[in-house]
Amino acid sequence: TIFLPRLLCKDLNKKSRGFIWGDIDDQRNIHMVAWENIFKPKCEEGLGIHSSRHANKTFMVKSC
């Protein structure tokens, strides 16, 4: 277990956003929901998805 580089986390988040919003080959769609709202927990009416950077930090703390 290692810390993922910031650039890799940014790339993973970009791929996740593209998947959720249905972007295909640099063809962008209108995004009806802000990414910050997707990060919210389910109890706050979000999707409960975590950013890759925060998830990596959590797993690193858990492994200690």
Side-chain angles (χ1 to χ4, degrees), residues 13-43:
N13 285 340
K14 184 178 179 181
K15 296 287 184 186
S16 297
R17 284 192 304 266
F19 176 76
I20 289 172
W21 286 321
D23 293 345
I24 301 170
D25 297 330
D26 297 331
Q27 206 175 31
R28 298 186 59 181
N29 295 329
I30 295 174
H31 303 152
M32 299 294 187
V33 179
W35 188 242
E36 292 78 26
N37 292 337
I38 292 174
F39 276 154
K40 287 182 182 177
K42 290 181 181 179
C43 63

Side-chain angles (χ1 to χ4, degrees), residues 2-19:
I2 59 169
F3 279 112
L4 297 176
R6 218 174 267 246
L7 186 61
L8 179 62
C9 290
K10 187 177 177 180
D11 227 14
L12 287 172
N13 285 340
K14 184 178 179 181
K15 296 287 184 186
S16 297
R17 284 192 304 266
F19 176 76

